[in-house]
Amino acid sequence: MTGSRDEPDVPEPGNIGFGGATALSRATGAGSVFSSSRYVARRQPTVTAAGPRPPALTASAVQEVLDVLPGSAIFLLPLTGADGGVEDFRIAAASPDALDIGGRRGKELVGLSVLETYPRVLGTTLWRGYLDALENGVRYEGEPFEYEEVLAGIPRLSRFTVHANACQGGLIVSWARLDSGEREQRRLEVMQRLGNMGWANWDLVRDAITWSEQVYDIFARDPSLGPMTLEELPAHVLAEDLPALGAEVRRLLGDGQPIDHTFRLTTPLGEVRHLRIVAEAEADAHGSPVEVHGFFQDLTAVNRTEEQLRERDRTAVAQQQTLTAERVLAARLQHALLPLPQQSLRLAGLTVDVAYQPLQQGLNVGGDWYSAIELPDGSALLVVGDVAGHGLDAVATMAQLRFTAKGMAITGTPLASILARLNTLLWHSADRAYSTATMVMGRYEPSSGILTWVRAGHLPPLLLRRGEPRYLPSPRGVLLGATTNPRYDSSAIRLLPGDHLLFFTDGLVEAPGELLDVGLARLARTVAECGDGPRPLDDVLDALVDPATRRDDICVLHVGV
């Protein structure tokens, strides 16, 4: 028989297809991995040969039949050569749902050649089955086989069954993919494993229970024992959780209401696990539950994580409370050791501005200190001191000196005697590392306007009078704790209205690699420039202090008459 091939439009090249059958199958010994872009379907040339008689029905008539069929089915017409043998098959009609391996569907398959689209079919059991069905009219039912396709560079194994029947000089071929359900099952298993859950089903009519494999893992139960019955379950549930779980089960089986409940269960290994059950019941026509299905979920890891987070929250709250208490205590201690880092006072007709800047960040007290109080006789006590070193040890020495000096001054002890006794105190201190200090102390009597002052190794006060700065003459006095028999003399000066007096520690004037006299001269110039301003102390500090380069505590008392 001489036949000609139609030339329908065909889609662009696609993946390795499955033209009513398969490419290589491992069951037939021809399993191979194919590239999805290796073979191209194209229009067919004309082939003439003697062969089976022409079909009584046209391809369009067969197409009308296939149009109403579900699933994948095609009509193949043989293409014969000069010797009368079948050389190929052409897809003449296809059902709308027909889908090959390359993703071509329905009419996209019409016109394609089997061997040019799926060349590895030649010589396989599938090909021989096609020929046998065409020549002898027998039904071909292929064994399930595996086919490995490559899509987007990723190999994927699939399983198919193929049926072929002779019809009107051609073949009606249908096929089904067997692994879709298996893939869904694998996806379900992955989902259960990732979610740490497993499904369960209770047939109340037949009294049958079905568990997925994951439920056995959740209950730590040997699968050979089968699912746990409802009668066995209470023996494993913690006693305190059993009443609530029983109430939920009665609501499920009695009222048919869905449940979502958590409970604790003891495994055969003695481990307590937190489980969640979500279930719903299906009822018969009378409303009686006949089947229950749902899932169990192991929440043990989630509960453990939540408990750890709660414990960390409790620890954080406790730590926050401790830190708050420590800050309050530190603030109270700071105020006890040093009234305020910055303040303005009115004492015995004097205006006293104070600035205190400790070097150590986070510790609002240091080795420098000041006192500015009014004594019982109406005079004002002004003190600035500096303990050697920094940190808590220096703070302890500072507090000892500050409160001792204040106490002796209140009792009327002369200033020079106060320094001598403080020297004795430091000389006999147990911690010799912080047993030296400098100090300047003055007592101002408002009735006479006389300031009497003493010093122990400290820099002299700076007086600004009528715009002219000068340092007061320094009386004799070595630093505290340096010797057992020191001598401390006093000096006096009458302060006039408009005078400015500055008591300060060396942190205000010292600079690395610079002589002290240079820093003192710079301070004098700065005070002269800032003395007439509304906030002279602030102006002096802004001009002289660089927070990035300073290396010592700073304490300054500005006294205005």
Side-chain angles (χ1 to χ4, degrees):
M1 181 186 75
T2 301
S4 64
R5 302 182 180 181
D6 296 331
E7 296 184 355
D9 292 334
V10 295
E12 292 297 319
N15 298 334
I16 288 299
F18 184 79
T22 181
L24 286 180
S25 73
R26 292 179 177 167
T28 59
S32 301
V33 178
F34 297 102
S35 168
S36 61
S37 59
R38 183 174 177 181
Y39 303 109
V40 179
R42 57 184 176 82
R43 298 178 180 179
Q44 308 301 315
T46 300
V47 177
T48 59
R53 61 184 178 82
L57 296 177
T58 62
S60 60
V62 178
Q63 182 65 62
E64 292 182 6
V65 176
L66 296 183
D67 282 341
V68 298
L69 294 181
S72 296
I74 57 175
F75 179 48
L76 297 180
L77 285 178
L79 302 177
T80 56
D83 59 355
V86 176
E87 293 185 344
D88 201 350
F89 289 92
R90 179 175 60 86
I91 303 175
S95 64
D97 295 333
L99 180 66
D100 76 347
I101 296 174
R104 291 173 283 263
R105 183 183 296 274
K107 292 184 178 180
E108 294 178 341
L109 299 170
V110 176
L112 298 182
S113 160
V114 170
L115 291 183
E116 292 197 358
T117 308
Y118 322 105
R120 294 295 184 88
V121 170
L122 182 64
T124 65
T125 302
L126 175 65
W127 179 258
R128 292 191 293 271
Y130 281 180
L131 297 180
D132 190 40
L134 181 66
E135 295 175 2
N136 303 318
V138 297
R139 174 180 173 83
Y140 170 72
E141 296 184 5
E143 294 291 332
F145 65 91
E146 292 182 345
Y147 174 78
E148 191 170 28
E149 54 187 320
V150 179
L151 298 176
I154 302 175
R156 188 172 65 189
L157 194 64
S158 302
R159 300 176 69 245
F160 298 91
T161 58
V162 181
H163 296 166
N165 292 277
C167 177
Q168 298 297 314
L171 294 176
I172 295 292
V173 177
S174 63
W175 69 92
R177 194 165 189 166
L178 301 178
D179 59 346
S180 59
E182 296 175 3
R183 288 184 180 180
E184 293 299 325
Q185 180 65 27
R186 286 196 296 271
R187 292 191 185 103
L188 180 60
E189 292 174 355
V190 172
M191 181 184 69
Q192 291 182 91
R193 186 177 68 257
L194 294 178
N196 208 8
M197 64 177 65
W199 61 265
N201 187 78
W202 292 267
D203 189 331
L204 304 180
V205 177
R206 296 185 300 151
D207 194 20
I209 305 174
T210 306
W211 278 4
S212 68
E213 293 182 4
Q214 189 67 22
V215 180
Y216 290 98
D217 294 336
I218 292 174
F219 280 76
R221 183 176 175 86
D222 187 349
S224 64
L225 300 177
M228 186 182 298
T229 65
L230 294 178
E231 290 77 13
E232 294 179 82
L233 186 59
H236 300 275
V237 177
L238 266 63
E240 52 266 35
D241 293 354
L242 193 56
L245 178 61
E248 289 294 311
V249 173
R250 286 191 295 271
R251 188 164 67 88
L252 173 68
L253 299 181
D255 303 332
Q257 297 295 319
I259 64 171
D260 186 342
H261 184 70
T262 57
F263 63 96
R264 289 169 297 172
L265 174 138
T266 304
T267 68
L269 302 177
E271 177 188 2
V272 175
R273 293 187 177 180
H274 296 257
L275 303 187
R276 175 191 182 196
I277 179 174
V278 178
E280 61 181 7
E282 294 184 3
D284 58 14
H286 304 288
S288 299
V290 294
E291 187 175 3
V292 174
H293 49 82
F295 66 84
F296 290 101
Q297 185 177 18
D298 188 353
L299 301 178
T300 305
V302 175
N303 281 59
R304 185 180 300 115
T305 301
E306 290 177 351
E307 181 58 33
Q308 291 174 349
L309 291 176
R310 285 192 293 268
E311 181 61 30
R312 290 178 183 176
D313 287 342
R314 288 191 292 267
T315 302
V317 170
Q319 186 176 12
Q320 182 64 34
Q321 292 173 345
T322 301
L323 292 176
T324 301
E326 290 177 351
R327 282 196 298 268
V328 172
L329 178 60
R332 295 180 63 182
L333 289 174
Q334 174 196 348
H335 294 161
L337 295 174
L338 199 64
L340 285 175
Q342 188 168 357
Q343 61 177 332
S344 295
L345 304 171
R346 295 284 295 177
L347 300 174
L350 302 176
T351 299
V352 181
D353 292 325
V354 181
Y356 174 69
Q357 298 179 1
L359 177 65
Q360 190 168 343
Q361 296 296 322
L363 185 66
N364 291 329
V365 289
D368 291 8
W369 87 92
Y370 72 90
S371 288
I373 63 172
E374 190 168 305
L375 297 175
D377 62 0
S379 61
L381 178 69
L382 306 170
V383 184
V384 167
D386 185 0
V387 174
H390 304 284
L392 291 177
D393 293 329
V395 170
T397 303
M398 175 273 294
Q400 187 179 39
L401 293 176
R402 180 173 183 265
F403 291 116
T404 302
K406 184 188 296 185
M408 287 190 291
I410 291 175
T411 61
T413 304
L415 299 184
S417 298
I418 293 176
L419 292 182
R421 293 174 182 177
L422 291 177
N423 179 80
T424 302
L425 177 66
L426 285 187
W427 182 261
H428 295 284
S429 172
D431 189 356
R432 297 293 298 170
Y434 299 96
S435 58
T436 61
T438 66
M439 184 172 173
V440 60
M441 180 166 47
R443 177 185 283 133
Y444 174 76
E445 298 178 357
S447 59
S448 62
I450 294 178
L451 174 74
T452 302
W453 70 284
V454 295
R455 74 180 189 96
H458 203 88
L459 297 174
L462 175 63
L463 175 66
L464 180 67
R465 176 173 288 175
R466 291 187 290 272
E468 292 295 330
R470 66 184 179 92
Y471 290 98
L472 298 183
S474 298
R476 181 183 300 179
V478 299
L479 59 87
L480 301 175
T483 180
T484 57
N485 296 307
R487 176 181 173 179
Y488 297 105
D489 296 336
S490 63
S491 181
I493 185 174
R494 184 184 299 276
L495 297 181
L496 303 178
D499 283 353
H500 296 272
L501 193 64
L502 211 65
F503 294 81
F504 57 93
T505 58
D506 55 7
L508 183 65
V509 295
E510 287 183 336
E514 183 181 80
L515 294 176
L516 182 60
D517 289 344
V518 176
L520 291 173
R522 181 170 55 248
L523 174 61
R525 290 193 305 270
T526 305
V527 169
E529 295 170 357
C530 302
D532 295 331
R535 300 284 298 175
L537 180 56
D538 291 342
D539 295 338
V540 169
L541 292 175
D542 290 342
L544 296 180
V545 178
D546 183 359
T549 60
R550 73 183 184 96
R551 298 184 178 181
D552 202 355
D553 301 332
I554 294 176
C555 185
V556 185
L557 262 70
H558 172 260
V559 180
V561 182

